[in-house]
Amino acid sequence: MRIGIIGLGLIGGSLGRDLCLNPENYVWGISRNESTCEQAIAMQAVHFAAQDISQISQLSQTNLIFICTPIAAILPTIAQIAPYLSPQTVITDVGSVKVAIVDAAEKLWDRFIGAHPMAGNAFSGIQAAELGLFQGRPCVITPNTQVNFQGDFQDNFQSSLDALNLVRQVWQSLGAVIYECSPVAHDCAVAWISHLPVFVSASLIQACTEEVNPIVADLAKHLASSGFRDTSRVGGGNPQLGRYMAEYNREALLLSLEKYQLVLQAAIAQIQANDWQGIEELLTQTQVNRSAFLD
Ligand code: NAP
């Protein structure tokens, strides 16, 4: 298969490294920086890389293009490459939000299928790319309603289904566990398990580092151990990614933050009321719920 990757960072580079292991694949990549192109070739994340789509000689034979840029650049990238592609090419993305991308992307390219691999590490850029990053990890594919639509748009339905199968098959070949849902369901679910935790964790870091007593602040720093390390990890990650979660998944994130605020407010009220039995019951419930949720 001929595959293109635009945006050779952590996710694009990791995808490329896995895809290049299959001798039946030819993988080209686009990065804005020459040094990233050189590094991607050297680490066998692509067979060929260039800074501009017009330099890709295999373009018209490309079966599938992954857009792996930051969220804000996904739609402009599709609009930029569309005039150069063969109509059969399927475009997919890896963006962490889907509602803001999928509808608009399908208007730009009818063989677009949104996806979001739930994998990563604390780093960014091509040097962070890992082999086997997606092995055993969920990958959410978000076909929109058109894919299930039958009737006047039968031809469109057929081509979308074939595009969906291609995207599904490639992620499966990388060992990902596939989930399929609507873009809205995806965005609400990731608000709970990915976007809300970033803002809870960031608020923890911010509140803790605003301690005004220098003796307490210094002592807390020295005493901080695995508990603080675990709960502050996602709040100390890539700031641009966190900003895009808020900007592009605003509605779902606000709903989950408001619900979280209510639960926190109830716990504050219990503590203010010396309701220790109620607090123990709450924490007994969350202990059970955590195991059930993660299992
Ligand atoms: P990254 O490591 O920063 O890589 C993004 C790459 O895109 C950069 O290497 C950059 O390469 C290129 N790029 C940056 N701005 C661009 C622009 N305006 N136009 C074109 N290319 C641009 O980020 P990442 O973590 O791989 O994230 C990429 C995508 O994956 C995002 O949409 C994100 O939502 C999604 N995602 C991330 C994770 C995660 O945990 N990190 C997990 C799942 C999905 P050049 O500067 O060389 O062009």
Short mmCIF file of all heavy atoms in Angstrom, two decimals, residues 144-154 157:
data_model
loop_
_atom_site.label_atom_id
_atom_site.label_comp_id
_atom_site.label_asym_id
_atom_site.label_seq_id
_atom_site.Cartn_x
_atom_site.Cartn_y
_atom_site.Cartn_z
N ASN A 144 -19.02 9.25 10.13
CA ASN A 144 -20.21 10.06 10.44
C ASN A 144 -21.44 9.38 9.87
O ASN A 144 -21.37 8.31 9.27
CB ASN A 144 -20.03 11.52 10.01
CG ASN A 144 -20.47 11.74 8.60
OD1 ASN A 144 -20.75 10.81 7.87
ND2 ASN A 144 -20.53 12.99 8.21
N THR A 145 -22.60 10.01 10.03
CA THR A 145 -23.86 9.36 9.67
C THR A 145 -23.90 8.96 8.20
O THR A 145 -24.59 8.02 7.85
CB THR A 145 -25.02 10.29 9.99
OG1 THR A 145 -24.68 11.57 9.47
CG2 THR A 145 -25.27 10.38 11.48
N GLN A 146 -23.17 9.68 7.37
CA GLN A 146 -23.22 9.37 5.93
C GLN A 146 -22.84 7.93 5.65
O GLN A 146 -23.35 7.33 4.73
CB GLN A 146 -22.23 10.26 5.18
CG GLN A 146 -22.88 11.48 4.58
CD GLN A 146 -21.93 12.17 3.65
OE1 GLN A 146 -20.75 11.83 3.58
NE2 GLN A 146 -22.43 13.14 2.95
N VAL A 147 -21.93 7.40 6.48
CA VAL A 147 -21.46 6.05 6.24
C VAL A 147 -22.61 5.06 6.36
O VAL A 147 -22.67 4.07 5.65
CB VAL A 147 -20.32 5.72 7.24
CG1 VAL A 147 -19.99 4.24 7.20
CG2 VAL A 147 -19.11 6.54 6.90
N ASN A 148 -23.59 5.33 7.25
CA ASN A 148 -24.71 4.43 7.42
C ASN A 148 -25.93 4.87 6.61
O ASN A 148 -26.97 4.25 6.68
CB ASN A 148 -25.10 4.37 8.90
CG ASN A 148 -23.95 3.78 9.68
OD1 ASN A 148 -23.36 2.81 9.24
ND2 ASN A 148 -23.60 4.39 10.79
N PHE A 149 -25.78 5.94 5.88
CA PHE A 149 -26.92 6.49 5.17
C PHE A 149 -27.14 5.71 3.89
O PHE A 149 -26.24 5.49 3.10
CB PHE A 149 -26.64 7.97 4.85
CG PHE A 149 -27.86 8.73 4.43
CD1 PHE A 149 -28.70 9.30 5.37
CD2 PHE A 149 -28.16 8.88 3.10
CE1 PHE A 149 -29.81 10.00 4.98
CE2 PHE A 149 -29.27 9.57 2.69
CZ PHE A 149 -30.11 10.14 3.64
N GLN A 150 -28.39 5.26 3.67
CA GLN A 150 -28.69 4.54 2.44
C GLN A 150 -29.83 5.27 1.73
O GLN A 150 -30.66 5.89 2.36
CB GLN A 150 -29.11 3.12 2.77
CG GLN A 150 -27.94 2.38 3.38
CD GLN A 150 -28.32 1.00 3.89
OE1 GLN A 150 -28.99 0.26 3.19
NE2 GLN A 150 -27.88 0.69 5.07
N GLY A 151 -29.88 5.21 0.43
CA GLY A 151 -30.93 5.91 -0.31
C GLY A 151 -30.28 6.73 -1.40
O GLY A 151 -29.49 6.22 -2.18
N ASP A 152 -30.60 8.02 -1.43
CA ASP A 152 -30.10 8.88 -2.50
C ASP A 152 -28.58 8.91 -2.56
O ASP A 152 -28.00 9.13 -3.60
CB ASP A 152 -30.59 10.32 -2.29
CG ASP A 152 -32.09 10.40 -2.50
OD1 ASP A 152 -32.66 9.42 -3.02
OD2 ASP A 152 -32.67 11.43 -2.13
N PHE A 153 -27.95 8.68 -1.42
CA PHE A 153 -26.50 8.80 -1.39
C PHE A 153 -25.81 7.44 -1.39
O PHE A 153 -24.75 7.26 -0.82
CB PHE A 153 -26.06 9.61 -0.15
CG PHE A 153 -26.48 11.04 -0.22
CD1 PHE A 153 -27.65 11.47 0.36
CD2 PHE A 153 -25.70 11.96 -0.90
CE1 PHE A 153 -28.05 12.78 0.28
CE2 PHE A 153 -26.09 13.29 -0.99
CZ PHE A 153 -27.27 13.70 -0.40
N GLN A 154 -26.47 6.46 -2.07
CA GLN A 154 -25.94 5.10 -2.07
C GLN A 154 -24.48 5.04 -2.55
O GLN A 154 -23.66 4.36 -1.96
CB GLN A 154 -26.83 4.21 -2.95
CG GLN A 154 -26.48 2.73 -2.90
CD GLN A 154 -26.79 2.12 -1.55
OE1 GLN A 154 -27.66 2.59 -0.83
NE2 GLN A 154 -26.07 1.08 -1.20
N PHE A 157 -22.29 6.31 0.06
CA PHE A 157 -22.26 5.33 1.13
C PHE A 157 -21.24 4.24 0.82
O PHE A 157 -20.40 3.90 1.62
CB PHE A 157 -23.66 4.73 1.31
CG PHE A 157 -23.69 3.52 2.19
CD1 PHE A 157 -23.43 3.62 3.54
CD2 PHE A 157 -23.96 2.27 1.66
CE1 PHE A 157 -23.45 2.51 4.36
CE2 PHE A 157 -23.98 1.16 2.47
CZ PHE A 157 -23.73 1.27 3.82
#
